[in-house]
Amino acid sequence: DKVPLLFQPFTIKDLTIPNRIVVAPMCMYSSLDGFFTNFHLASIGSFAINGAGLIIQEATAVLPNGRITPGCAGLWDDAQVFKLKEIVDFVHVQGGKVGIQLAHAGRKASAGAPYTKYPESAFWPEDVIAPSGGAHLQWDKHHRVPRELSLAEIREVIDAFGAAAARAARAGMDTVEIHGAHGYLIHNFLSPLTNQRTDHYGGSLENRARFLLEVVKSVRANFPAEKPIFLRVSASDLVEEVEGIEDSWEIEQTIQIAKWVRDAGVDVLHVSSGGNTAQQKILTAPGYQVPFAEQIKRAVPGLAVVAVGIILDGPQAEEVLKSEKADLVAAGRTFLRHPNFAMNSARELNVKAAYSQQYSRGRTIHS
Ligand code: FNR
């Protein structure tokens, strides 16, 4: 087949994504009381008009206290479905696919939002929850001190993930992505840096992964069986080399839980890294997280993998796919700089990409 892999469709379960380019979830701090707004319609709409294959909408809180900031989106209320459906319908008319990232911010909730109308102090309840609490686990001085979740509250959060997944389905979402990365609640449970519980949600890897697996089951049970589920993970806490830290979340554990979540119904792993401790050492360079995606893809058959992190152009993305390091390629900031990243990539790879009908006149000056 002469079509570059990047522009070949990708099918998983009943979902066929028209190309392999994914817009990574990006918080825009532009929600009002958790409701998506016209900003999201315009922003996501522009990615769709410009040919992105799959757009994953930003971290969306399953409970009010799961927002990172007051400007973050939510899906804890049936009323929040309406605007989402409008966005989903728009993307579908353009021929793209769309998912939403379901999240709980854990100990990193309660930050102030950039450009928000809310005064931070008036907004946040004394309710920052995490697997373990206490001043030593406060994220930074701009965040509240977290308190430990009770077993009953853990159950409530798990159920809230399921209820949000059901709402996402009602909005017509093609997929949901569970946010298990970047130091938010699920990652807080996984990593020994942030999970100091002594009950069956802490201690061994199996115990630390219990919350994630219960969230996966809750989401799977509430989202149409024929549609795939994504999970975003931090493959590593990125502290292996840091002195004084011995017990952290690292790639070997990620590979183990990747097998467990695959068996529990996750179809695609979206491989990021870091975010759970300020002591992390990130060496950012083009494709810096691709080796994590590759390791997981090699070790876990039957699980599709998304690579993300400083993917800057079509040839770079195509190389990731050609060398079988990942099944899909995602970009975040590249799309903010160039909402037409997919069409630029098509030009670079000599693909006659379908322009949206409305923009089709744009083709003539190039060809
Ligand atoms: C992000 N990122 C992010 N990740 C995530 O899982 N959920 C989110 O809501 C956000 N929000 C967010 C906002 C903004 C403005 C940026 C720039 C990033 C991380 C993002 O999805 C991606 O993994 C990283 O940006 C690395 O990829 P790029 O930007 O190098 O392509």
PDB file of all heavy atoms in Angstrom, residues 10-17 54 97-100 165 173-178 219-220 223-231 265-269 304 328:
ATOM      1  N   PHE A  10      -7.553   3.692  10.770  1.00  0.00           N
ATOM      2  CA  PHE A  10      -7.233   2.764  11.856  1.00  0.00           C
ATOM      3  C   PHE A  10      -8.539   2.340  12.511  1.00  0.00           C
ATOM      4  O   PHE A  10      -9.328   3.183  12.955  1.00  0.00           O
ATOM      5  CB  PHE A  10      -6.325   3.448  12.879  1.00  0.00           C
ATOM      6  CG  PHE A  10      -5.890   2.535  13.987  1.00  0.00           C
ATOM      7  CD1 PHE A  10      -4.928   1.558  13.765  1.00  0.00           C
ATOM      8  CD2 PHE A  10      -6.457   2.632  15.257  1.00  0.00           C
ATOM      9  CE1 PHE A  10      -4.520   0.700  14.777  1.00  0.00           C
ATOM     10  CE2 PHE A  10      -6.049   1.779  16.284  1.00  0.00           C
ATOM     11  CZ  PHE A  10      -5.080   0.822  16.042  1.00  0.00           C
ATOM     12  N   THR A  11      -8.748   1.032  12.556  1.00  0.00           N
ATOM     13  CA  THR A  11      -9.999   0.528  13.121  1.00  0.00           C
ATOM     14  C   THR A  11      -9.740  -0.190  14.426  1.00  0.00           C
ATOM     15  O   THR A  11      -8.841  -1.029  14.509  1.00  0.00           O
ATOM     16  CB  THR A  11     -10.707  -0.426  12.131  1.00  0.00           C
ATOM     17  OG1 THR A  11     -11.017   0.312  10.955  1.00  0.00           O
ATOM     18  CG2 THR A  11     -11.998  -0.982  12.718  1.00  0.00           C
ATOM     19  N   ILE A  12     -10.512   0.174  15.430  1.00  0.00           N
ATOM     20  CA  ILE A  12     -10.459  -0.541  16.699  1.00  0.00           C
ATOM     21  C   ILE A  12     -11.891  -0.684  17.206  1.00  0.00           C
ATOM     22  O   ILE A  12     -12.629   0.298  17.283  1.00  0.00           O
ATOM     23  CB  ILE A  12      -9.528   0.156  17.704  1.00  0.00           C
ATOM     24  CG1 ILE A  12      -9.364  -0.684  18.935  1.00  0.00           C
ATOM     25  CG2 ILE A  12      -9.951   1.563  18.036  1.00  0.00           C
ATOM     26  CD1 ILE A  12      -7.951  -0.828  19.371  1.00  0.00           C
ATOM     27  N   LYS A  13     -12.290  -1.958  17.437  1.00  0.00           N
ATOM     28  CA  LYS A  13     -13.702  -2.262  17.655  1.00  0.00           C
ATOM     29  C   LYS A  13     -14.512  -1.684  16.495  1.00  0.00           C
ATOM     30  O   LYS A  13     -14.080  -1.776  15.352  1.00  0.00           O
ATOM     31  CB  LYS A  13     -14.160  -1.770  19.020  1.00  0.00           C
ATOM     32  CG  LYS A  13     -13.500  -2.563  20.157  1.00  0.00           C
ATOM     33  CD  LYS A  13     -14.302  -2.491  21.402  1.00  0.00           C
ATOM     34  CE  LYS A  13     -14.019  -3.685  22.277  1.00  0.00           C
ATOM     35  NZ  LYS A  13     -14.491  -3.470  23.642  1.00  0.00           N
ATOM     36  N   ASP A  14     -15.642  -1.004  16.791  1.00  0.00           N
ATOM     37  CA  ASP A  14     -16.455  -0.470  15.702  1.00  0.00           C
ATOM     38  C   ASP A  14     -16.037   0.932  15.267  1.00  0.00           C
ATOM     39  O   ASP A  14     -16.707   1.556  14.447  1.00  0.00           O
ATOM     40  CB  ASP A  14     -17.937  -0.439  16.117  1.00  0.00           C
ATOM     41  CG  ASP A  14     -18.584  -1.800  15.920  1.00  0.00           C
ATOM     42  OD1 ASP A  14     -17.872  -2.750  15.528  1.00  0.00           O
ATOM     43  OD2 ASP A  14     -19.804  -1.909  16.162  1.00  0.00           O
ATOM     44  N   LEU A  15     -14.940   1.418  15.821  1.00  0.00           N
ATOM     45  CA  LEU A  15     -14.494   2.776  15.501  1.00  0.00           C
ATOM     46  C   LEU A  15     -13.436   2.753  14.407  1.00  0.00           C
ATOM     47  O   LEU A  15     -12.409   2.079  14.549  1.00  0.00           O
ATOM     48  CB  LEU A  15     -13.915   3.445  16.761  1.00  0.00           C
ATOM     49  CG  LEU A  15     -13.251   4.809  16.541  1.00  0.00           C
ATOM     50  CD1 LEU A  15     -14.270   5.842  16.061  1.00  0.00           C
ATOM     51  CD2 LEU A  15     -12.583   5.287  17.829  1.00  0.00           C
ATOM     52  N   THR A  16     -13.694   3.468  13.315  1.00  0.00           N
ATOM     53  CA  THR A  16     -12.665   3.655  12.291  1.00  0.00           C
ATOM     54  C   THR A  16     -12.265   5.119  12.265  1.00  0.00           C
ATOM     55  O   THR A  16     -13.088   6.005  11.977  1.00  0.00           O
ATOM     56  CB  THR A  16     -13.156   3.190  10.911  1.00  0.00           C
ATOM     57  OG1 THR A  16     -13.400   1.775  10.978  1.00  0.00           O
ATOM     58  CG2 THR A  16     -12.096   3.439   9.845  1.00  0.00           C
ATOM     59  N   ILE A  17     -10.998   5.369  12.599  1.00  0.00           N
ATOM     60  CA  ILE A  17     -10.458   6.724  12.600  1.00  0.00           C
ATOM     61  C   ILE A  17      -9.886   6.956  11.202  1.00  0.00           C
ATOM     62  O   ILE A  17      -9.144   6.108  10.698  1.00  0.00           O
ATOM     63  CB  ILE A  17      -9.361   6.851  13.686  1.00  0.00           C
ATOM     64  CG1 ILE A  17      -9.915   6.438  15.055  1.00  0.00           C
ATOM     65  CG2 ILE A  17      -8.814   8.274  13.741  1.00  0.00           C
ATOM     66  CD1 ILE A  17      -8.839   6.225  16.118  1.00  0.00           C
ATOM     67  N   LEU A  54      -8.657  11.925  15.059  1.00  0.00           N
ATOM     68  CA  LEU A  54      -9.352  11.746  16.347  1.00  0.00           C
ATOM     69  C   LEU A  54      -8.957  12.894  17.265  1.00  0.00           C
ATOM     70  O   LEU A  54      -7.769  13.171  17.436  1.00  0.00           O
ATOM     71  CB  LEU A  54      -8.950  10.406  16.995  1.00  0.00           C
ATOM     72  CG  LEU A  54      -9.431  10.175  18.436  1.00  0.00           C
ATOM     73  CD1 LEU A  54     -10.955  10.015  18.506  1.00  0.00           C
ATOM     74  CD2 LEU A  54      -8.755   8.941  19.058  1.00  0.00           C
ATOM     75  N   LYS A  97     -13.378  11.933  14.211  1.00  0.00           N
ATOM     76  CA  LYS A  97     -13.862  11.198  15.374  1.00  0.00           C
ATOM     77  C   LYS A  97     -13.451  11.958  16.625  1.00  0.00           C
ATOM     78  O   LYS A  97     -12.471  12.715  16.623  1.00  0.00           O
ATOM     79  CB  LYS A  97     -13.287   9.784  15.393  1.00  0.00           C
ATOM     80  CG  LYS A  97     -13.650   8.975  14.153  1.00  0.00           C
ATOM     81  CD  LYS A  97     -15.145   8.697  14.072  1.00  0.00           C
ATOM     82  CE  LYS A  97     -15.504   7.989  12.772  1.00  0.00           C
ATOM     83  NZ  LYS A  97     -16.934   7.773  12.623  1.00  0.00           N
ATOM     84  N   VAL A  98     -14.187  11.726  17.708  1.00  0.00           N
ATOM     85  CA  VAL A  98     -13.935  12.532  18.913  1.00  0.00           C
ATOM     86  C   VAL A  98     -14.175  11.715  20.173  1.00  0.00           C
ATOM     87  O   VAL A  98     -15.101  10.906  20.249  1.00  0.00           O
ATOM     88  CB  VAL A  98     -14.798  13.830  18.883  1.00  0.00           C
ATOM     89  CG1 VAL A  98     -16.275  13.523  18.757  1.00  0.00           C
ATOM     90  CG2 VAL A  98     -14.523  14.722  20.086  1.00  0.00           C
ATOM     91  N   GLY A  99     -13.284  11.924  21.136  1.00  0.00           N
ATOM     92  CA  GLY A  99     -13.424  11.292  22.444  1.00  0.00           C
ATOM     93  C   GLY A  99     -13.267  12.340  23.523  1.00  0.00           C
ATOM     94  O   GLY A  99     -13.000  13.514  23.248  1.00  0.00           O
ATOM     95  N   ILE A 100     -13.442  11.922  24.764  1.00  0.00           N
ATOM     96  CA  ILE A 100     -13.305  12.861  25.873  1.00  0.00           C
ATOM     97  C   ILE A 100     -12.499  12.194  26.978  1.00  0.00           C
ATOM     98  O   ILE A 100     -12.650  11.000  27.237  1.00  0.00           O
ATOM     99  CB  ILE A 100     -14.689  13.335  26.374  1.00  0.00           C
ATOM    100  CG1 ILE A 100     -14.530  14.469  27.390  1.00  0.00           C
ATOM    101  CG2 ILE A 100     -15.501  12.171  26.955  1.00  0.00           C
ATOM    102  CD1 ILE A 100     -15.833  15.202  27.683  1.00  0.00           C
ATOM    103  N   ALA A 165     -19.027   8.340  32.009  1.00  0.00           N
ATOM    104  CA  ALA A 165     -18.885   7.572  30.758  1.00  0.00           C
ATOM    105  C   ALA A 165     -20.248   7.392  30.092  1.00  0.00           C
ATOM    106  O   ALA A 165     -20.370   7.494  28.869  1.00  0.00           O
ATOM    107  CB  ALA A 165     -18.240   6.219  31.035  1.00  0.00           C
ATOM    108  N   MET A 173     -20.071  10.362  21.953  1.00  0.00           N
ATOM    109  CA  MET A 173     -18.612  10.227  21.892  1.00  0.00           C
ATOM    110  C   MET A 173     -18.210   8.889  21.270  1.00  0.00           C
ATOM    111  O   MET A 173     -18.801   7.848  21.573  1.00  0.00           O
ATOM    112  CB  MET A 173     -18.018  10.283  23.303  1.00  0.00           C
ATOM    113  CG  MET A 173     -17.975  11.662  23.898  1.00  0.00           C
ATOM    114  SD  MET A 173     -16.777  12.698  23.042  1.00  0.00           S
ATOM    115  CE  MET A 173     -17.242  14.275  23.741  1.00  0.00           C
ATOM    116  N   ASP A 174     -17.173   8.938  20.437  1.00  0.00           N
ATOM    117  CA  ASP A 174     -16.675   7.721  19.803  1.00  0.00           C
ATOM    118  C   ASP A 174     -15.815   6.896  20.766  1.00  0.00           C
ATOM    119  O   ASP A 174     -15.655   5.690  20.582  1.00  0.00           O
ATOM    120  CB  ASP A 174     -15.833   8.091  18.580  1.00  0.00           C
ATOM    121  CG  ASP A 174     -16.664   8.813  17.540  1.00  0.00           C
ATOM    122  OD1 ASP A 174     -17.653   8.216  17.080  1.00  0.00           O
ATOM    123  OD2 ASP A 174     -16.343   9.972  17.211  1.00  0.00           O
ATOM    124  N   THR A 175     -15.238   7.567  21.735  1.00  0.00           N
ATOM    125  CA  THR A 175     -14.434   6.859  22.729  1.00  0.00           C
ATOM    126  C   THR A 175     -14.343   7.719  23.982  1.00  0.00           C
ATOM    127  O   THR A 175     -14.664   8.916  23.960  1.00  0.00           O
ATOM    128  CB  THR A 175     -13.013   6.557  22.197  1.00  0.00           C
ATOM    129  OG1 THR A 175     -12.278   5.824  23.185  1.00  0.00           O
ATOM    130  CG2 THR A 175     -12.250   7.823  21.855  1.00  0.00           C
ATOM    131  N   VAL A 176     -13.946   7.116  25.086  1.00  0.00           N
ATOM    132  CA  VAL A 176     -13.562   7.886  26.270  1.00  0.00           C
ATOM    133  C   VAL A 176     -12.136   7.488  26.623  1.00  0.00           C
ATOM    134  O   VAL A 176     -11.714   6.352  26.394  1.00  0.00           O
ATOM    135  CB  VAL A 176     -14.483   7.650  27.494  1.00  0.00           C
ATOM    136  CG1 VAL A 176     -15.859   8.245  27.262  1.00  0.00           C
ATOM    137  CG2 VAL A 176     -14.594   6.177  27.835  1.00  0.00           C
ATOM    138  N   GLU A 177     -11.408   8.459  27.135  1.00  0.00           N
ATOM    139  CA  GLU A 177     -10.054   8.185  27.604  1.00  0.00           C
ATOM    140  C   GLU A 177     -10.016   8.408  29.116  1.00  0.00           C
ATOM    141  O   GLU A 177     -10.315   9.510  29.591  1.00  0.00           O
ATOM    142  CB  GLU A 177      -9.041   9.109  26.913  1.00  0.00           C
ATOM    143  CG  GLU A 177      -7.617   8.944  27.458  1.00  0.00           C
ATOM    144  CD  GLU A 177      -6.565   9.694  26.651  1.00  0.00           C
ATOM    145  OE1 GLU A 177      -6.227   9.230  25.539  1.00  0.00           O
ATOM    146  OE2 GLU A 177      -6.087  10.741  27.115  1.00  0.00           O
ATOM    147  N   ILE A 178      -9.664   7.391  29.851  1.00  0.00           N
ATOM    148  CA  ILE A 178      -9.523   7.518  31.304  1.00  0.00           C
ATOM    149  C   ILE A 178      -8.166   8.174  31.576  1.00  0.00           C
ATOM    150  O   ILE A 178      -7.138   7.739  31.052  1.00  0.00           O
ATOM    151  CB  ILE A 178      -9.593   6.133  31.974  1.00  0.00           C
ATOM    152  CG1 ILE A 178     -10.961   5.480  31.713  1.00  0.00           C
ATOM    153  CG2 ILE A 178      -9.319   6.246  33.470  1.00  0.00           C
ATOM    154  CD1 ILE A 178     -11.002   3.987  32.057  1.00  0.00           C
ATOM    155  N   VAL A 219     -16.201   2.240  33.943  1.00  0.00           N
ATOM    156  CA  VAL A 219     -16.338   2.921  32.650  1.00  0.00           C
ATOM    157  C   VAL A 219     -16.785   1.928  31.579  1.00  0.00           C
ATOM    158  O   VAL A 219     -17.702   2.194  30.793  1.00  0.00           O
ATOM    159  CB  VAL A 219     -15.008   3.609  32.256  1.00  0.00           C
ATOM    160  CG1 VAL A 219     -15.031   4.070  30.805  1.00  0.00           C
ATOM    161  CG2 VAL A 219     -14.740   4.796  33.194  1.00  0.00           C
ATOM    162  N   ARG A 220     -16.135   0.751  31.570  1.00  0.00           N
ATOM    163  CA  ARG A 220     -16.473  -0.257  30.552  1.00  0.00           C
ATOM    164  C   ARG A 220     -17.948  -0.647  30.627  1.00  0.00           C
ATOM    165  O   ARG A 220     -18.627  -0.816  29.617  1.00  0.00           O
ATOM    166  CB  ARG A 220     -15.557  -1.477  30.725  1.00  0.00           C
ATOM    167  CG  ARG A 220     -15.624  -2.558  29.677  1.00  0.00           C
ATOM    168  CD  ARG A 220     -15.156  -2.175  28.285  1.00  0.00           C
ATOM    169  NE  ARG A 220     -16.150  -1.424  27.524  1.00  0.00           N
ATOM    170  CZ  ARG A 220     -15.944  -0.910  26.321  1.00  0.00           C
ATOM    171  NH1 ARG A 220     -14.792  -1.049  25.721  1.00  0.00           N
ATOM    172  NH2 ARG A 220     -16.898  -0.241  25.699  1.00  0.00           N
ATOM    173  N   PHE A 223     -20.180   2.259  29.054  1.00  0.00           N
ATOM    174  CA  PHE A 223     -19.896   2.797  27.725  1.00  0.00           C
ATOM    175  C   PHE A 223     -20.165   1.684  26.726  1.00  0.00           C
ATOM    176  O   PHE A 223     -19.830   0.530  26.984  1.00  0.00           O
ATOM    177  CB  PHE A 223     -18.441   3.287  27.666  1.00  0.00           C
ATOM    178  CG  PHE A 223     -18.168   4.235  26.527  1.00  0.00           C
ATOM    179  CD1 PHE A 223     -18.770   5.485  26.494  1.00  0.00           C
ATOM    180  CD2 PHE A 223     -17.308   3.874  25.492  1.00  0.00           C
ATOM    181  CE1 PHE A 223     -18.533   6.365  25.441  1.00  0.00           C
ATOM    182  CE2 PHE A 223     -17.072   4.745  24.438  1.00  0.00           C
ATOM    183  CZ  PHE A 223     -17.670   5.993  24.408  1.00  0.00           C
ATOM    184  N   PRO A 224     -20.779   2.012  25.560  1.00  0.00           N
ATOM    185  CA  PRO A 224     -21.179   0.955  24.622  1.00  0.00           C
ATOM    186  C   PRO A 224     -20.049  -0.028  24.329  1.00  0.00           C
ATOM    187  O   PRO A 224     -18.923   0.374  24.012  1.00  0.00           O
ATOM    188  CB  PRO A 224     -21.569   1.750  23.365  1.00  0.00           C
ATOM    189  CG  PRO A 224     -21.987   3.089  23.879  1.00  0.00           C
ATOM    190  CD  PRO A 224     -21.118   3.356  25.075  1.00  0.00           C
ATOM    191  N   ALA A 225     -20.369  -1.311  24.411  1.00  0.00           N
ATOM    192  CA  ALA A 225     -19.349  -2.369  24.313  1.00  0.00           C
ATOM    193  C   ALA A 225     -18.623  -2.350  22.980  1.00  0.00           C
ATOM    194  O   ALA A 225     -17.464  -2.757  22.896  1.00  0.00           O
ATOM    195  CB  ALA A 225     -20.012  -3.733  24.529  1.00  0.00           C
ATOM    196  N   GLU A 226     -19.279  -1.850  21.919  1.00  0.00           N
ATOM    197  CA  GLU A 226     -18.644  -1.863  20.601  1.00  0.00           C
ATOM    198  C   GLU A 226     -17.690  -0.685  20.404  1.00  0.00           C
ATOM    199  O   GLU A 226     -17.002  -0.605  19.399  1.00  0.00           O
ATOM    200  CB  GLU A 226     -19.714  -1.899  19.493  1.00  0.00           C
ATOM    201  CG  GLU A 226     -20.545  -0.637  19.313  1.00  0.00           C
ATOM    202  CD  GLU A 226     -21.698  -0.493  20.306  1.00  0.00           C
ATOM    203  OE1 GLU A 226     -21.788  -1.303  21.266  1.00  0.00           O
ATOM    204  OE2 GLU A 226     -22.507   0.451  20.137  1.00  0.00           O
ATOM    205  N   LYS A 227     -17.659   0.246  21.363  1.00  0.00           N
ATOM    206  CA  LYS A 227     -16.763   1.403  21.238  1.00  0.00           C
ATOM    207  C   LYS A 227     -15.526   1.202  22.119  1.00  0.00           C
ATOM    208  O   LYS A 227     -15.632   0.695  23.236  1.00  0.00           O
ATOM    209  CB  LYS A 227     -17.485   2.685  21.668  1.00  0.00           C
ATOM    210  CG  LYS A 227     -18.622   3.086  20.743  1.00  0.00           C
ATOM    211  CD  LYS A 227     -19.199   4.445  21.126  1.00  0.00           C
ATOM    212  CE  LYS A 227     -20.346   4.825  20.193  1.00  0.00           C
ATOM    213  NZ  LYS A 227     -20.816   6.200  20.441  1.00  0.00           N
ATOM    214  N   PRO A 228     -14.351   1.626  21.628  1.00  0.00           N
ATOM    215  CA  PRO A 228     -13.129   1.393  22.393  1.00  0.00           C
ATOM    216  C   PRO A 228     -12.962   2.363  23.566  1.00  0.00           C
ATOM    217  O   PRO A 228     -13.544   3.446  23.590  1.00  0.00           O
ATOM    218  CB  PRO A 228     -12.030   1.634  21.353  1.00  0.00           C
ATOM    219  CG  PRO A 228     -12.634   2.595  20.385  1.00  0.00           C
ATOM    220  CD  PRO A 228     -14.099   2.269  20.330  1.00  0.00           C
ATOM    221  N   ILE A 229     -12.129   1.941  24.509  1.00  0.00           N
ATOM    222  CA  ILE A 229     -11.756   2.790  25.646  1.00  0.00           C
ATOM    223  C   ILE A 229     -10.245   3.011  25.619  1.00  0.00           C
ATOM    224  O   ILE A 229      -9.471   2.061  25.434  1.00  0.00           O
ATOM    225  CB  ILE A 229     -12.190   2.134  26.975  1.00  0.00           C
ATOM    226  CG1 ILE A 229     -13.712   2.181  27.093  1.00  0.00           C
ATOM    227  CG2 ILE A 229     -11.545   2.826  28.165  1.00  0.00           C
ATOM    228  CD1 ILE A 229     -14.232   1.503  28.335  1.00  0.00           C
ATOM    229  N   PHE A 230      -9.851   4.261  25.781  1.00  0.00           N
ATOM    230  CA  PHE A 230      -8.443   4.623  25.893  1.00  0.00           C
ATOM    231  C   PHE A 230      -8.108   4.817  27.377  1.00  0.00           C
ATOM    232  O   PHE A 230      -8.965   5.182  28.177  1.00  0.00           O
ATOM    233  CB  PHE A 230      -8.149   5.958  25.178  1.00  0.00           C
ATOM    234  CG  PHE A 230      -8.096   5.902  23.671  1.00  0.00           C
ATOM    235  CD1 PHE A 230      -9.100   5.309  22.920  1.00  0.00           C
ATOM    236  CD2 PHE A 230      -7.031   6.492  22.991  1.00  0.00           C
ATOM    237  CE1 PHE A 230      -9.048   5.286  21.523  1.00  0.00           C
ATOM    238  CE2 PHE A 230      -6.969   6.485  21.595  1.00  0.00           C
ATOM    239  CZ  PHE A 230      -7.977   5.886  20.863  1.00  0.00           C
ATOM    240  N   LEU A 231      -6.843   4.586  27.705  1.00  0.00           N
ATOM    241  CA  LEU A 231      -6.341   4.934  29.045  1.00  0.00           C
ATOM    242  C   LEU A 231      -5.046   5.696  28.861  1.00  0.00           C
ATOM    243  O   LEU A 231      -4.141   5.242  28.147  1.00  0.00           O
ATOM    244  CB  LEU A 231      -6.080   3.665  29.874  1.00  0.00           C
ATOM    245  CG  LEU A 231      -5.284   3.866  31.171  1.00  0.00           C
ATOM    246  CD1 LEU A 231      -6.063   4.687  32.198  1.00  0.00           C
ATOM    247  CD2 LEU A 231      -4.888   2.509  31.783  1.00  0.00           C
ATOM    248  N   GLY A 265     -10.586  -4.571  29.701  1.00  0.00           N
ATOM    249  CA  GLY A 265     -11.402  -3.890  28.697  1.00  0.00           C
ATOM    250  C   GLY A 265     -10.847  -2.601  28.118  1.00  0.00           C
ATOM    251  O   GLY A 265     -11.535  -1.923  27.359  1.00  0.00           O
ATOM    252  N   VAL A 266      -9.608  -2.238  28.455  1.00  0.00           N
ATOM    253  CA  VAL A 266      -8.999  -1.080  27.798  1.00  0.00           C
ATOM    254  C   VAL A 266      -8.468  -1.529  26.439  1.00  0.00           C
ATOM    255  O   VAL A 266      -7.832  -2.575  26.324  1.00  0.00           O
ATOM    256  CB  VAL A 266      -7.850  -0.486  28.656  1.00  0.00           C
ATOM    257  CG1 VAL A 266      -7.018   0.515  27.850  1.00  0.00           C
ATOM    258  CG2 VAL A 266      -8.427   0.180  29.905  1.00  0.00           C
ATOM    259  N   ASP A 267      -8.746  -0.716  25.404  1.00  0.00           N
ATOM    260  CA  ASP A 267      -8.334  -1.071  24.049  1.00  0.00           C
ATOM    261  C   ASP A 267      -7.059  -0.370  23.607  1.00  0.00           C
ATOM    262  O   ASP A 267      -6.307  -0.893  22.794  1.00  0.00           O
ATOM    263  CB  ASP A 267      -9.466  -0.710  23.075  1.00  0.00           C
ATOM    264  CG  ASP A 267     -10.765  -1.399  23.457  1.00  0.00           C
ATOM    265  OD1 ASP A 267     -10.863  -2.621  23.241  1.00  0.00           O
ATOM    266  OD2 ASP A 267     -11.657  -0.736  24.027  1.00  0.00           O
ATOM    267  N   VAL A 268      -6.845   0.846  24.108  1.00  0.00           N
ATOM    268  CA  VAL A 268      -5.726   1.659  23.640  1.00  0.00           C
ATOM    269  C   VAL A 268      -5.042   2.331  24.828  1.00  0.00           C
ATOM    270  O   VAL A 268      -5.713   2.924  25.687  1.00  0.00           O
ATOM    271  CB  VAL A 268      -6.207   2.768  22.666  1.00  0.00           C
ATOM    272  CG1 VAL A 268      -5.011   3.500  22.062  1.00  0.00           C
ATOM    273  CG2 VAL A 268      -7.099   2.205  21.569  1.00  0.00           C
ATOM    274  N   LEU A 269      -3.720   2.252  24.875  1.00  0.00           N
ATOM    275  CA  LEU A 269      -2.958   2.928  25.921  1.00  0.00           C
ATOM    276  C   LEU A 269      -2.281   4.155  25.319  1.00  0.00           C
ATOM    277  O   LEU A 269      -1.579   4.062  24.308  1.00  0.00           O
ATOM    278  CB  LEU A 269      -1.899   1.978  26.501  1.00  0.00           C
ATOM    279  CG  LEU A 269      -1.521   2.240  27.953  1.00  0.00           C
ATOM    280  CD1 LEU A 269      -2.697   1.942  28.868  1.00  0.00           C
ATOM    281  CD2 LEU A 269      -0.327   1.402  28.364  1.00  0.00           C
ATOM    282  N   ALA A 304      -3.473  -1.620  21.647  1.00  0.00           N
ATOM    283  CA  ALA A 304      -2.956  -0.583  20.744  1.00  0.00           C
ATOM    284  C   ALA A 304      -2.330   0.530  21.579  1.00  0.00           C
ATOM    285  O   ALA A 304      -2.675   0.716  22.749  1.00  0.00           O
ATOM    286  CB  ALA A 304      -4.076  -0.032  19.878  1.00  0.00           C
ATOM    287  N   LEU A 328      -0.855   4.810  16.787  1.00  0.00           N
ATOM    288  CA  LEU A 328      -1.391   6.144  16.527  1.00  0.00           C
ATOM    289  C   LEU A 328      -0.378   7.152  17.063  1.00  0.00           C
ATOM    290  O   LEU A 328       0.403   6.830  17.963  1.00  0.00           O
ATOM    291  CB  LEU A 328      -2.733   6.345  17.255  1.00  0.00           C
ATOM    292  CG  LEU A 328      -3.912   5.468  16.825  1.00  0.00           C
ATOM    293  CD1 LEU A 328      -4.983   5.459  17.920  1.00  0.00           C
ATOM    294  CD2 LEU A 328      -4.509   5.963  15.513  1.00  0.00           C
TER     295      LEU A 328
END
